[in-house]
Amino acid sequence: PAPQFQLASSPAMRRTPPPPPTPLHEPSAATVGRPRPRLRPRLRRCPERAATGAAGASQASWAAALPRVVGPVALAAVLLAVGCCRSETGCTAARVAFSLLSPLAGAGTRDAGWRGTRGRDASRVGVRGQTSNAMQDAVRKQKKEMAKSPKKWYRAAQDPITVPVLTEKVQDDMFYGSQAIRGMMREQAVKRQRYQQATAVWRKEGIYWKADPILDENGKEKIFNLGHGANVLTDQNTEFPPYTQVRTEHIFRGIKNIATTSGMEVMNVRRDHLKDDIQNEWAEIMVPLELSRDKVDRTFDVIKVVSEQIDPSPSMKQAYEFAVEVRRQFEKVVTRQETAIKHFNEFLTDPDTTEARRRAVGHLMLQMKNDGVGLYEGIVWKENEEKNWRAFMASRAEIFNLTKGWQTNIRDDLAAKAFLVKDRKELAGVPQYVLEDAALVARLSGYPRATTEAGPWKVHFDDAMMEPMLKHATDRTFREYIYGNRKRVAFLGGIGPRDNTEILVKFFKLRIKKANILKYPTFADMAFVDKMATKKQVYAFLGRLRRESLPLARKEVQELRAFARERSGEEATIDHFDAAFWRERLLEDRFGLREDYIRPFFQFPVVLEALFALVHKLFGVDIKPEIGHEVWDEHVQTFRVRDSETGAMLGAFFLDAYRRRGKKKQGFWVQRIYDYSVALGVPREGPRLPAVHVVGDVQPPGADGKPAVMSMEQVAKLFHTFGGALRNLLCNQEEGLVSGTKGMEPDFQPLTPHLLERFAWDEHTIRSMSRHVQTGEVLPEAAIQTLAASRTFHGALRALRRTMNAQVLLDLHEQWDPEGSVNIYDFSKMIEAEFSAILPRVEDHELCGLALHDEEFAGGAYADLWGEALAADVFTEFEAAGLDNDTALREVGLHYREAVLAPGGGRAPMNSLRDFLGRAPAFLPMMKHLGLADDKAAAPAADGDGESSAAYASAMPEGAIDYEQYQDVYEDDEDYIMYEGEEPEYDDAEEKDEEGFDEDNEPWNPTARQPPPDA
């Protein structure tokens, strides 16, 4: 409702002066001498009315009333003194004193700003039923003050001592007539209600699916940290974070509090940068920075673990997004270290500075440069630099906002594309364990009666369900449907609420703009500044992989087509969704390997034991389980890693290997808890030891108690993931800023994971981990040899696909113009046509479903191939020592641990590899590793000067080159995108000349979904 009073700022109020104060009036006869039993003798001054003059009485009125006040007050004092005695006379005297004070309470004391404790009821104080002009003036002024500051008056209303003396009508108008005050009162009521119900609803905001409460030793329900100021997220004094106790309330309060305090510490360090009398620059500049960043990073990693593995609720996702924003704001504070540049330069030029410290400083300075510190400094003295600075900040903020939309669209579209299958015939050929998984997803989606045998089945588009369906589903239409939907995630024709097309184009525009502001020619140049490889080396590397794999991939497609024709009895067409299916059938026909036969031999506990035995044999460490730690699922285990010789503790890790549909993110990955650090250690206990999470996606054990079984692909993924954990667990880098994978080049990080994955396919490893789930028998020797050889069977087609994906993303960031005439999809399809043995499908738009929001992946998609090439070369050292010689393997493994794993990010990759190999890395082993070259070339040998031996160089076939020769090869390989080797066969199409034109001199459009099918 509209206010029923006039604002003090209105012109009418400014023109009309307030009326003069009215003199105090005589009390009425009806009130004189009447006892007031509800009036208390204790009086108190109202500070608000005294400060604002709300009483409306002047000093003159008090002076006029003084003679009439002094007499009654003096007599009342005498009578009160007599009333102190406990007698009938004393009580009579007290009643007479109260009767004398009653008129004063209703007259002078009321208008002067005095009131009793029960001042809410104005009709009980002073003259009954009468209001003076002074009181009306006071009410008018109070309304003005209330209109100016409703919050102050609302707070005053909650304190019974400071409420001015007003009539009930005026109170109702003031406290309930204003919409703003009603809103504040409603907010306070809601807060009180939520506080009262906190113990009842806390689990609904956390792990809401768990019906049983957590009980203490007395059988009462545990309520964690509901007291004000307590937060398990900010308590970092325990060895491992209390993951099961973290709730969304802890996240919203905790991450902001830690980021704020850490940001203030960074600001204090920045202030100290200006001092010239710093005694120990590293201890006073870099160590506080490490401590501040570690607190924020550790807190954020806890939130990430809870959101991905424990609590998938919408409220937790919202809390995680809030934590991402808070962390981004903190990183902005960290990279604003422009005052420390002079100290950083001293670190880099000081010959006594270790390599790890130089790399830590260089990595931080690179982050500062890419965050626009140079632009920030140049605002004062460079022309138009402020405009560039503002444009850079706006671009970076918009990229961050687009990132959230990109991830949300992918997640929502994956959930929306999941579909229900009711006809068992559509799932013909799909393995039993996949049907069990699909039935479980259906039950979680609202079909409680779904069973493995009768269905229905819910098909989801994650790798755990997609890969076996594409390999085994016999219905070609079904395979095409699921493949097409997976390749069109977050693509709805270019428009729609879950379409990423617009965000995709904006990503490239903003990245180009950001790179140009920072003086980089392209975003690809900006992405390569922190990589091991150069851009030219990567172009030559991908071009060489294409040359080696494309002819073999064409032969593989022809072989698959011939086999499909033989099995089906009619002309068969091999499309992208057919390659995995017919490869699996050809593998079964040629080698007799069937997945339903191989899978029961790989029990998860036996595979895990073999993995730990391999790590012990290679790197000299013992891995033992440890109980007593709080875990979030009954299948989660805790392990300690110790040195085999000394028994010293090296680290710890949680193993969360089993799949939990609806509660846990799908996939295999490693999540850091904390890294090795001397500065963050305890003086009496030594440095802080590393700890990680190893997360898997293995189907859980059955209800009958049988252990979980795995496919060979899942075994390889488990070995690959644990190799990523070893980068942190076996690192002892003293400088925490470059410990583990921090500061390590992204294309060097995949080395150890691929190395351990390569060992998973070795015959000795397969023999040690194959035990049948029912009989306990070992896999037959012929099957072991065949399974080990199947790793490279038809590997050219898969290698070509990976090379093509890396080339597409590299060329998009290097050559594509968002303002040009060629859209992003046509540009990518033209590159795919150059790298494909099977014609690209125009309807596929997999760019919208990739992790392009991650700039590290977008600019370095080649990194996985590069790391695999390094791992293939490193594996040759173990082969040379003898894979069946445990002593020699231990010697080589310890050397690898010392040269590559122990330094972490504190050692340059080339220095680490030269220490281990004795030479520069070579890439011929990569061709052998992928099955693209034979064994006629010997493994590279090292001589005195560290270069490849002449015998090895003479044995290398044309095109197999060393690391240091890639840059020269690129300059002579300008036409690497053209086809070489065997010309493609065109079935029903016109012949093409060398330039790619047909007889009518019209260019062939590679994006058209027409013959030739194998171009």
Side-chain angles (χ1 to χ4, degrees), residues 842-857:
V842 179
E843 58 268 34
D844 293 345
H845 297 82
E846 58 184 323
L847 288 176
C848 294
L850 298 178
L852 293 181
H853 64 280
D854 185 0
E855 293 188 355
E856 183 176 300
F857 169 79

Side-chain angles (χ1 to χ4, degrees), residues 422-563:
K422 298 183 179 180
D423 189 358
R424 180 66 175 82
K425 296 180 181 179
E426 297 182 13
L427 299 177
V430 176
Q432 184 73 8
Y433 70 93
V434 181
L435 294 178
E436 294 175 1
D437 194 18
L440 174 61
V441 175
R443 289 194 294 270
L444 295 175
S445 302
Y447 297 89
R449 297 184 179 180
T451 61
T452 306
E453 294 76 15
W457 304 269
K458 189 73 172 291
V459 178
H460 201 271
F461 291 94
D462 53 36
D463 293 339
M465 196 172 290
M466 283 286 298
E467 290 179 359
M469 283 187 173
L470 288 175
K471 287 186 356 180
H472 299 288
T474 58
D475 189 344
R476 189 172 189 268
T477 304
F478 178 77
R479 295 200 307 268
E480 181 180 9
Y481 179 78
I482 62 175
Y483 179 87
N485 277 275
R486 186 62 182 88
K487 294 299 181 181
R488 290 190 294 272
V489 172
F491 177 79
L492 303 176
I495 57 175
R498 303 189 308 271
D499 195 290
N500 273 340
T501 301
E502 184 178 357
I503 301 179
L504 178 65
V505 177
K506 285 185 178 180
F507 267 146
F508 283 90
K509 288 183 178 179
L510 293 172
R511 285 171 181 170
I512 292 174
K513 182 179 180 180
K514 176 181 174 182
N516 292 338
I517 292 176
L518 295 176
K519 313 304 181 186
Y520 292 106
T522 63
F523 179 77
D525 294 280
M526 178 179 173
F528 272 96
V529 295
D530 62 342
K531 303 296 191 299
M532 173 185 176
T534 64
K535 186 173 62 175
K536 290 186 175 182
Q537 289 173 338
V538 172
Y539 266 111
F541 173 64
L542 297 178
R544 186 60 57 186
L545 281 177
R546 175 192 164 275
R547 289 187 177 186
E548 298 289 344
S549 59
L550 184 58
L552 295 178
R554 290 172 181 162
K555 292 180 180 179
E556 292 176 359
V557 172
Q558 293 175 3
E559 187 177 8
L560 292 177
R561 183 185 295 109
F563 180 74

Side-chain angles (χ1 to χ4, degrees), residues 219-372:
K220 295 183 179 181
E221 184 178 0
K222 268 188 177 183
I223 305 298
F224 301 103
N225 295 314
L226 291 180
H228 177 71
N231 196 326
V232 296
L233 197 62
T234 59
D235 183 13
Q236 299 184 351
N237 296 323
T238 58
E239 182 181 11
F240 301 117
Y243 295 104
T244 58
Q245 303 177 20
V246 177
R247 300 292 177 265
T248 54
E249 293 85 355
H250 300 148
I251 295 175
F252 283 110
R253 291 183 300 170
I255 186 67
K256 188 172 183 179
N257 180 34
I258 289 181
T260 302
T261 55
S262 301
M264 294 178 62
E265 295 172 359
V266 174
M267 296 293 290
N268 293 335
V269 174
R270 184 190 305 178
R271 181 191 58 201
D272 295 339
H273 293 166
L274 302 176
K275 299 179 181 179
D276 296 329
D277 56 345
I278 298 179
Q279 301 297 329
N280 189 343
E281 295 183 349
W282 188 266
E284 297 185 32
I285 295 177
M286 302 302 294
V287 173
L289 187 61
E290 177 187 348
L291 302 180
S292 302
R293 296 187 74 169
D294 184 82
K295 286 192 293 185
V296 177
D297 290 343
R298 183 178 178 183
T299 305
F300 179 79
D301 291 338
V302 173
I303 299 171
K304 189 174 182 181
V305 169
V306 174
S307 64
E308 292 181 348
Q309 300 176 233
I310 303 175
D311 185 358
S313 62
S315 59
M316 184 58 68
K317 288 185 175 63
Q318 183 180 6
Y320 174 72
E321 292 176 356
F322 175 78
V324 172
E325 170 65 23
V326 173
R327 189 191 189 192
R328 185 181 76 96
Q329 296 296 337
F330 171 75
E331 288 297 328
K332 289 170 59 178
V333 177
V334 172
T335 54
R336 293 290 180 272
Q337 301 292 324
E338 64 279 352
T339 56
I341 292 180
K342 62 176 183 179
H343 300 287
F344 292 164
N345 290 330
E346 293 177 2
F347 290 141
L348 296 177
T349 57
D350 188 358
D352 296 332
T353 305
T354 62
E355 182 182 6
R357 290 189 173 185
R358 286 198 302 269
R359 285 178 58 84
V361 172
H363 185 69
L364 181 58
M365 294 184 70
L366 183 60
Q367 286 182 320
M368 294 167 54
K369 180 181 185 301
N370 291 341
D371 201 49

Side-chain angles (χ1 to χ4, degrees), residues 638-939:
T638 309
F639 292 88
R640 295 285 186 182
V641 183
R642 297 180 181 272
D643 189 272
S644 301
E645 296 182 359
T646 64
M649 184 78 69
L650 300 178
F653 65 92
F654 288 91
L655 178 62
D656 188 359
Y658 294 114
R659 184 182 307 155
R660 295 191 297 274
R661 285 286 185 183
K663 302 178 183 179
K664 174 184 168 184
K665 178 182 172 183
Q666 305 300 123
F668 291 78
W669 74 91
V670 176
Q671 177 61 50
R672 184 189 77 103
I673 300 178
Y674 40 74
D675 290 319
Y676 188 96
S677 176
V678 174
L680 291 163
V682 180
R684 295 183 180 180
E685 299 179 4
R688 186 185 68 179
L689 301 178
V692 298
H693 290 273
V694 180
V695 187
D697 195 25
V698 182
Q699 194 166 8
D704 54 358
K706 291 184 179 179
V709 294
M710 311 169 64
S711 64
M712 189 59 203
E713 287 74 14
Q714 288 180 323
V715 172
K717 289 181 180 179
L718 179 63
F719 276 64
H720 183 101
T721 306
F722 197 76
L726 292 180
R727 298 173 306 190
N728 300 79
L729 295 175
L730 301 186
C731 175
N732 58 4
Q733 175 58 249
E734 295 183 357
E735 302 301 336
L737 291 173
V738 287
S739 179
T741 57
K742 290 188 292 187
M744 184 181 294
E745 285 75 357
D747 48 357
F748 186 64
Q749 294 180 14
L751 167 58
T752 305
H754 278 293
L755 177 63
L756 216 61
E757 181 183 353
R758 179 62 183 84
F759 272 102
W761 291 94
D762 180 62
E763 295 181 11
H764 302 82
T765 307
I766 296 176
R767 190 177 297 108
S768 65
M769 64 183 176
S770 61
R771 296 288 186 277
H772 198 277
V773 67
Q774 295 180 349
T775 64
E777 297 178 352
V778 181
L779 193 66
E781 191 65 25
I784 292 176
Q785 297 176 2
T786 304
L787 185 60
S790 67
R791 180 183 61 85
T792 58
F793 179 72
H794 274 219
L797 198 60
R798 291 174 291 171
L800 189 64
R801 180 69 181 178
R802 295 171 59 195
T803 306
M804 180 267 295
N805 290 333
Q807 188 72 52
V808 167
L809 293 181
L810 180 59
D811 283 348
L812 282 174
H813 287 93
E814 172 71 16
Q815 300 176 8
W816 183 62
D817 182 11
E819 306 296 339
S821 58
V822 180
N823 65 49
I824 189 170
Y825 298 124
D826 292 342
F827 188 88
S828 63
K829 292 301 175 184
M830 287 188 289
I831 301 173
E832 288 184 32
E834 299 168 353
F835 279 75
S836 297
I838 303 175
L839 191 66
R841 290 161 45 96
V842 179
E843 58 268 34
D844 293 345
H845 297 82
E846 58 184 323
L847 288 176
C848 294
L850 298 178
L852 293 181
H853 64 280
D854 185 0
E855 293 188 355
E856 183 176 300
F857 169 79
Y862 74 94
D864 190 66
L865 277 171
W866 188 270
E868 187 174 359
L870 298 176
D873 192 20
V874 169
F875 185 74
T876 59
E877 296 294 319
F878 292 91
E879 285 184 317
L883 297 178
D884 55 350
N885 188 342
D886 293 352
T887 304
L889 283 180
R890 171 69 66 85
E891 183 179 354
V892 178
L894 290 177
H895 187 197
Y896 180 84
R897 172 183 165 186
E898 180 183 358
V900 180
L901 294 178
R907 192 82 189 277
M910 283 300 299
N911 294 340
S912 297
L913 290 174
R914 284 184 180 275
D915 286 350
F916 176 72
L917 299 172
R919 54 172 173 80
F923 286 87
L924 173 62
M926 173 65 167
M927 306 304 169
K928 295 168 53 181
H929 169 75
L930 296 176
L932 307 179
D934 52 22
D935 296 335
K936 64 182 180 180

Side-chain angles (χ1 to χ4, degrees), residues 181-200:
I181 293 182
R182 285 206 312 271
M184 285 187 292
M185 294 182 67
R186 189 182 304 113
E187 180 183 356
Q188 293 293 330
V190 170
K191 287 183 178 180
R192 286 195 299 269
Q193 183 179 6
R194 288 193 63 186
Y195 179 78
Q196 294 171 1
Q197 297 178 351
T199 58

Side-chain angles (χ1 to χ4, degrees), residues 89-110:
T89 305
C91 294
T92 304
R95 284 197 295 271
V96 174
F98 280 111
S99 65
L100 291 175
L101 291 175
S102 297
L104 299 179
T109 57
R110 172 174 178 168

